[in-house]
Amino acid sequence: MGEAVANVARRVNATVEEEKDTLDLSNCKLISFPDGVFRVLKGVSDNIRIITLADNEMKAISSKFFSTFTQLRELDLRGNVLTKLPDAVGEMEHLTSINLANNSFSIFPEKITEIATLERVNLEGNSITEIPVEKLSDMPALKWLNVKSNPLDSNTQSALQSLSNILSTTEF
């Protein structure tokens, strides 16, 4: 456990000291986003554009995360055990890419359809059966959607066929 904490501290400190616009906390055995990281990044959170939290054991992500990192462009949460996202995700004004592949979503996180800047959504390898195709088709920037390896019902699959005519790439 101590080694995991030291690893997170090293990566966070490097982000601050080197004034990076990325924070990579992948493979850190995290079950949630550490509160201490909010404090350390307080002065530089507006500079962070890309956060990778892939391949951890996160069951949830807080509203505080989204209200802290307001300038985020890319968020990689693949390979966790997330089942939902907080409503605050819908308020991300600059997010262009979200990777939620290989989590535990059974319900499509509809709040992401409120992000006007979102271009890429990866939900491959979850347990989603229905997708709000109408809301997705109303997303102005959406270009790429991946929902492969989900148990989609036949109505959703048919609706996705029509969506694939709008988007440059739809994988299901």
Side-chain angles (χ1 to χ4, degrees):
M1 184 67 164
E3 186 181 320
V5 171
N7 190 16
V8 168
R10 251 191 320 277
R11 293 185 193 188
V12 170
N13 287 335
T15 295
V16 173
E17 290 167 12
E18 298 167 28
E19 297 179 9
K20 293 181 178 177
D21 67 351
T22 62
L23 175 62
D24 183 354
L25 294 179
S26 57
N27 291 299
C28 287
K29 299 181 174 76
L30 296 174
I31 55 170
S32 64
F33 193 82
D35 265 350
V37 174
F38 289 120
R39 287 190 292 279
V40 175
L41 294 175
K42 190 173 185 183
V44 296
S45 61
D46 281 350
N47 300 334
I48 309 274
R49 301 288 184 263
I50 300 167
I51 295 182
T52 303
L53 292 165
D55 301 317
N56 282 293
E57 298 158 22
M58 295 179 63
K59 294 182 171 117
I61 191 155
S62 68
S63 294
K64 182 178 182 179
F65 176 88
F66 294 103
S67 61
T68 301
F69 299 105
T70 58
Q71 302 301 311
L72 211 55
R73 304 295 192 270
E74 297 177 26
L75 178 58
D76 187 349
L77 291 164
R78 75 187 133 81
N80 282 285
V81 285
L82 298 169
T83 57
K84 62 183 180 178
L85 295 174
D87 289 350
V89 72
E91 296 163 23
M92 299 302 289
E93 294 179 0
H94 306 286
L95 196 66
T96 59
S97 176
I98 190 164
N99 189 343
L100 300 168
N102 303 315
N103 271 282
S104 300
F105 288 95
S106 56
I107 297 170
F108 187 93
E110 284 198 36
K111 278 290 179 182
I112 66 172
T113 64
E114 296 175 14
I115 306 171
T117 53
L118 201 55
E119 297 174 7
R120 299 176 57 84
V121 176
N122 189 350
L123 277 157
E124 181 176 356
N126 281 281
S127 302
I128 298 167
T129 55
E130 295 179 33
I131 292 175
V133 176
E134 203 168 289
K135 288 184 178 183
L136 287 169
S137 63
D138 289 340
M139 292 176 69
L142 189 64
K143 295 180 178 126
W144 186 83
L145 172 68
N146 182 355
V147 289
K148 286 192 294 194
S149 302
N150 279 284
L152 301 174
D153 65 32
S154 56
N155 291 340
T156 299
Q157 288 185 15
S158 299
L160 281 172
Q161 288 286 7
S162 62
L163 185 63
S164 66
N165 297 332
I166 300 167
L167 302 179
S168 55
T169 309
T170 306
E171 299 179 32
F172 57 97

